[in-house]
Amino acid sequence: MANTILIIDDEVKLRTLLAKMLSLEGFDVLQAGDGKTGLKKLEQQNIDIVLCDVKLPDEHGVDLAKNIKQKYPALEIILMTAYGNIPDSVQAIKNGAFDYITKGDDNYKIIPLLYRALEKVKLAKRVQQLEKQLDNKYALNSILGCSKSIQLAIEAARKVAQTDATVLLTGETGTGKEVFAQAIHQAGKRKNGNFIAVNCSAFSKELLENELFGHKAGAFTGAIKDTKGIFEEANEGTIFLDEIGEMPLDLQAKLLRVIETGEFLKVGDNNVTRVNVRLIAATNRDLKKEVNAGRFREDLFYRISVFQIQLPSLRERIDDITLLANHFLQYFSEKTNKKITGIAPAYIQLLQKHTWKGNIRELKNIIERSVILTENNILEPTSLPVDFYQVPDLEMGNMPATSLELAAVEKAHIQKVLQYTRGNKTETARLLNIALTTLYRKIEEYKITSSVE
């Protein structure tokens, strides 16, 4: 598809000559004799670049450039003048013009200039496309589920997203708390700011304090320069503190101060840093019990729980399992280049009977492994990983019953996943949902020949 250029110039001969020259280069060319006509064509057509005369019958081209860029930021404008002057050229660039050239003297520059401008247009369109995909990915209406419990959570998130209220997301591990936090951020007025997530259980007290607040040069051994923490990086955006119930008490006091005043001290700093951030926190603990046990500050609890959203477990939304399973099937089928067209009813029945201690995260892992394991074009009970059947109340279906047979199946399972990951043991352990040390033990126990990393 050819790129489109609009020429705005009241000199008919020059405009026609330019149009013919650009058409020979393969561009689609539109013409306008004044600013008003040019703006109308911009409304009617998808235009990439505007070549515009500075002196128009109804408007100064430099002012028109500003107007066009405000309405169509991805479009590029090249201004042309018969009498170049420095003030006009400076103002043109300030107003968003790609370049400013003199007619006649710079004719040989037009074609290369247009191609450079076109590269910038393509980049801007790609960025817009990615931003749109990001918006869609994290939109509240992209959260899957028709059950009443998940719809109530989505509606609550939609209401609070338009405010700056601190939100506490509660629920079991794997219920999608970070997905909700992202969606709340994306639906709010801070969507153009940074969204930064940190898991409070993943760091020691000292590392978590540094991660949150940053440090001054010389604050400790190895601190050779000033470093920003996530509060500073997320200024005007959103911070998501996952597993906030794991945060040490003295850090809880510093967090409370930031929430109340927007101020904090970096490690080793005596000067206050000020920020404006929205806080979304999450926990799978009962924070009221933690408060009563003296492990969580009561004042912080009330500050972070201004608006609470309880995310349901997968056991509470059995009706959504089919929808979620098919979604993950489509994703992993495309990822693995397998043509798997559906899921057998017996497979779905087994999913619906499962206890799902890991909730949606566990379901996603099960579907991914099933896709890797299956040789058929539909997922069947025999596609399920061995450890799925380690729950005693499940019907074993066609799975082997003796420990010897189970060991053979487990060995074949590990070999298949290792083959899929091309011998990457870290990725294999992740897919199998076991520790890396356990994987190495299993490889040795079953005498599995290691694939090349």
Side-chain angles (χ1 to χ4, degrees), residues 151-426:
Q151 285 300 316
L152 286 172
I154 292 169
E155 185 56 33
R158 185 172 284 113
K159 288 176 180 177
V160 78
Q162 301 306 315
T163 74
D164 260 345
T166 302
V167 180
L168 178 64
L169 301 171
T170 59
E172 297 177 9
T173 298
T175 49
K177 292 188 280 290
E178 185 166 350
V179 171
F180 265 80
Q182 281 269 20
I184 291 168
H185 168 75
Q186 207 64 30
K189 54 191 175 184
R190 293 176 181 265
K191 63 176 290 185
N192 294 323
N194 288 336
F195 174 91
I196 302 180
V198 62
N199 189 322
C200 297
S201 66
F203 300 91
S204 65
K205 172 192 167 297
E206 292 75 18
L207 286 176
L208 182 57
E209 181 176 9
N210 187 56
E211 186 78 8
L212 294 174
F213 306 119
H215 63 260
K216 291 290 289 182
F220 50 83
T221 304
I224 58 175
K225 63 179 182 178
D226 291 0
T227 301
K228 292 180 179 180
I230 65 167
F231 269 97
E232 203 169 353
E233 293 283 359
N235 192 30
E236 303 299 331
T238 303
I239 286 178
F240 174 55
L241 296 181
D242 199 7
E243 304 298 350
I244 196 170
E246 309 289 335
M247 182 178 285
L249 277 167
D250 47 354
L251 273 188
Q252 291 177 27
K254 293 185 177 182
L255 176 61
L256 180 64
R257 181 187 177 190
V258 183
I259 296 172
E260 291 182 334
T261 67
E263 299 178 348
F264 64 89
L265 290 172
K266 292 184 179 182
V267 178
D269 197 1
N270 295 319
N271 297 316
V272 168
T273 300
R274 292 177 176 82
V275 291
N276 177 8
V277 298
R278 180 184 196 166
L279 178 69
I280 301 175
T283 183
N284 59 9
R285 291 191 176 194
D286 185 333
L287 288 188
K288 286 186 178 179
K289 288 183 179 178
E290 294 298 300
V291 168
N292 293 335
R295 292 188 291 266
F296 202 84
R297 292 179 63 106
E298 186 174 22
D299 47 4
L300 178 59
F301 170 70
Y302 287 116
R303 289 297 308 207
I304 66 173
S305 59
V306 172
F307 195 96
Q308 285 193 51
I309 301 175
Q310 172 74 27
L311 301 188
S313 68
L314 197 52
R315 296 182 303 281
E316 298 171 88
R317 43 186 302 213
I318 298 298
D319 291 345
D320 290 335
I321 285 179
T322 302
L323 179 66
L324 291 164
N326 278 290
H327 170 74
F328 294 137
L329 171 63
Q330 182 181 353
Y331 175 78
F332 290 116
S333 295
E334 291 174 2
K335 185 179 177 182
T336 57
N337 292 317
K338 284 190 170 185
K339 292 182 180 180
I340 304 174
T341 56
I343 304 176
Y347 184 102
I348 291 292
Q349 287 170 9
L350 288 171
L351 295 186
Q352 291 173 336
K353 291 178 182 179
H354 195 61
T355 54
W356 297 118
K357 291 181 180 179
N359 292 290
I360 297 171
R361 189 180 296 134
E362 183 185 356
L363 174 62
K364 183 178 180 181
N365 178 276
I366 290 293
I367 299 297
E368 183 176 9
R369 286 195 278 161
S370 294
V371 168
I372 294 167
L373 293 168
T374 191
E375 301 293 344
N376 304 319
N377 61 356
I378 63 168
L379 296 186
E380 297 178 306
T382 51
S383 309
L384 285 161
V386 177
D387 55 294
F388 181 86
Y389 290 93
Q390 292 175 355
V391 181
D393 60 345
L394 282 178
E395 296 176 10
M396 293 298 288
N398 296 323
M399 296 303 292
T402 69
S403 59
L404 185 62
E405 288 171 325
L406 282 171
V409 173
E410 185 176 49
K411 178 181 178 180
H413 183 178
I414 293 171
Q415 285 176 318
K416 198 151 195 175
V417 177
L418 273 167
Q419 183 181 12
Y420 169 74
T421 64
R422 304 175 73 86
N424 186 323
K425 295 178 182 63
T426 303

Side-chain angles (χ1 to χ4, degrees), residues 127-140 142 182-183 185-187 191-193 195:
V127 169
Q128 284 182 342
Q129 183 185 10
L130 290 172
E131 287 176 345
K132 187 176 180 180
Q133 288 174 355
L134 185 68
D135 286 349
N136 292 336
K137 181 180 179 181
Y138 293 115
L140 283 164
S142 71
Q182 281 269 20
H185 168 75
Q186 207 64 30
K191 63 176 290 185
N192 294 323
F195 174 91

